[in-house]
Amino acid sequence: MSLANTYARYPVEFVSGQGAWLTDSGGERYLDFLSGIAVNNLGHCHPQVVAAVQEQVGRLMHVSNLFYTEPNVRLAERLAARSFGESVFFCNSGAEANEAAIKLVRKHRPRGDVIVALNAFHGRTYGALSATPQEAKQAPFAPLVPGFRAIEATEIAAAVDADTAAVLIEPIQGESGVNVMSPELLAGIRAACDAVGAALVFDEVQTGMGRTGSLWAYEQLGVEPDAMTLAKGLGGGLPIGALVIGPKLQSVFAPGDHGSTFAGGPVVSAAANVALDVIDDEAFLARVRESGERLVEKLRELPYVASVRGRGLMVAAEITTEAPKLAARALTEQRLIINATGATTLRFLPPLIVSPEEIDDAVDRLKMLEI
Ligand SMILES: *Cc1c(COP(=O)(O)O)cnc(C)c1O
């Protein structure tokens, strides 16, 4: 096997997808409640995304960021108009979006610290990894980038001081198991940052693009950040990331400060514009919230589920058995794709277009697994 040994992959090869369904090389169909880890928010091969990408790929694929393209300028304008943002820096992934955010806040307050929450996940590149205080992920790669302080989320507000450049935080921690930050906690951090002139950055790489039932998670929290990072669902399945910059940090970057050759190309931007067309719609988002409530209710009926948490279609269940084993059995025995984020935590990230019947189907498949 010539693939580098960096993932514990399941022995399944997928060849096609449609909506919430994937088909493997043996012709078996799987119900997808992971969505490529919150990427396929519109489901697989959404017809509008496919059409827009096919049209754009035959017209113009790449010109570099020395020039403008219409799909990219339009995407930036829409992201700014539909958020606190004034401008947008594009990149190709979530880690890169966080790299850009870290550079932005460091330039804003030179030599300042970046405070992150314990159990956070911000990506695998060196800056983002240094902002990801998880021993197993960091230890083999020391020395890390200096200037990060990892603090229990509830203690962050008290830890912000005159040396703080920024607090970087996920409104709901994704990779460590859908840990929801309360509006009060985030409001306290917002006030602490304001008191010393530090920036507040939300990592909405996983929570953005309708995942929690609003376009951005912060809209349900009553707290606005000074910048936010996006990726995962932004491109309707294609790789694009973004750093949205609000008024306070708007004038920090100057030409030459940061860049990326591929970033925000016309094809991925065309796909992201379609993703926004579909998701940024109140009726669509209301359905996400209803679907999330249905999923939570149904999961609570399972005998081995102790508790369920989350917002919209970002849901985790605490179970009384080994979650990694259960996720593997769900895949092989029931053709249901879910993932375990911890020893006893299952995570559910179905495509936002999932139907009530598909939600019931998924939970029925979990019921079939005898524990
Ligand atoms: C996935 C994720 C990232 C990293 O994104 P990549 O595209 O894998 O680099 C960063 N932050 C959060 C919250 C994520 O869920």
Side-chain angles (χ1 to χ4, degrees), residues 6-341:
T6 59
Y7 301 99
R9 290 179 213 263
Y10 293 106
V12 178
E13 182 192 49
F14 288 117
V15 294
S16 63
Q18 200 57 242
W21 296 86
L22 282 165
T23 303
D24 75 9
S25 51
E28 295 283 356
R29 293 180 80 226
Y30 297 68
L31 183 51
D32 184 4
F33 267 48
L34 186 56
S35 308
I37 318 183
V39 167
N40 304 103
N41 283 9
L42 302 185
H44 295 279
C45 299
H46 189 284
Q48 283 169 257
V49 176
V50 172
V53 168
Q54 284 176 340
E55 198 280 328
Q56 185 60 48
V57 88
R59 176 194 297 271
L60 184 69
M61 279 190 222
H62 176 81
V63 296
S64 87
N65 280 305
L66 299 176
F67 308 96
Y68 297 104
T69 69
E70 187 277 338
N72 188 235
V73 172
R74 188 151 57 91
L75 178 60
E77 280 169 0
R78 295 178 72 183
L79 289 174
R82 262 304 268 120
S83 72
F84 62 88
E86 303 237 315
S87 65
V88 183
F89 173 83
F90 288 103
C91 53
N92 312 284
S93 68
E96 283 176 71
N98 286 324
E99 296 291 335
I102 293 162
K103 286 181 73 171
L104 181 76
V105 300
R106 279 271 165 76
K107 192 177 179 215
H108 180 242
R109 177 163 285 177
R111 286 170 294 282
D113 293 324
V114 176
I115 296 181
V116 295
L118 288 183
N119 301 313
F121 182 84
H122 296 296
R124 305 289 196 145
T125 54
Y126 257 102
L129 176 66
S130 304
T132 297
Q134 297 182 34
E135 180 72 10
K137 292 185 175 69
Q138 290 186 336
F141 305 105
L144 299 173
V145 178
F148 291 88
R149 292 173 67 200
I151 300 206
E152 181 74 48
T154 51
E155 308 295 320
I156 288 178
V160 171
D161 61 23
D163 295 325
T164 307
V167 174
L168 168 62
I169 190 165
E170 300 156 87
I172 302 176
Q173 291 183 333
E175 296 310 294
S176 60
V178 189
N179 301 316
V180 182
M181 302 293 155
S182 73
E184 297 73 33
L185 181 139
L186 293 169
I189 295 174
R190 173 77 273 179
C193 288
D194 288 344
V196 298
L200 177 59
V201 182
F202 283 169
D203 179 342
E204 291 232 27
V205 168
Q206 191 162 150
T207 54
M209 292 303 279
R211 178 51 59 187
T212 69
S214 48
L215 186 60
W216 318 120
Y218 81 79
E219 295 175 281
Q220 295 179 62
L221 297 169
V223 179
E224 271 191 11
D226 300 305
M228 74 173 166
T229 53
L230 305 173
K232 292 205 161 98
L234 178 58
L238 293 193
I240 177 171
L243 167 65
V244 178
I245 304 169
K248 175 157 137 181
L249 302 171
Q250 169 62 10
S251 55
V252 174
F253 275 158
D257 277 341
H258 201 35
S260 168
T261 301
F262 284 121
V267 178
V268 292
S269 293
N273 275 310
V274 174
L276 275 181
D277 289 341
V278 176
I279 293 171
D280 189 14
D281 172 76
E282 193 33 54
F284 183 92
L285 292 167
R287 273 198 305 279
V288 173
R289 297 192 292 271
E290 281 161 29
S291 298
E293 280 162 27
R294 186 184 192 97
L295 176 60
V296 167
E297 267 170 43
K298 294 267 165 187
L299 287 173
R300 288 198 172 122
E301 291 168 11
L302 291 171
Y304 53 83
V305 165
S307 64
V308 185
R309 58 180 180 267
R311 202 168 270 145
L313 282 170
M314 184 169 180
V315 172
E318 217 47 54
I319 61 173
T320 54
T321 180
E322 288 169 81
K325 276 193 189 154
L326 196 76
R329 287 187 55 208
L331 179 80
T332 54
E333 295 172 30
Q334 290 297 322
R335 311 252 185 267
L336 172 69
I337 303 172
I338 52 175
N339 110 301
T341 58

Side-chain angles (χ1 to χ4, degrees), residues 302 304 329 333-334 363-370:
L302 291 171
Y304 53 83
R329 287 187 55 208
E333 295 172 30
Q334 290 297 322
V363 179
D364 285 344
R365 286 171 195 239
L366 288 170
K367 266 186 200 144
M368 305 284 279
L369 290 173
E370 278 173 38

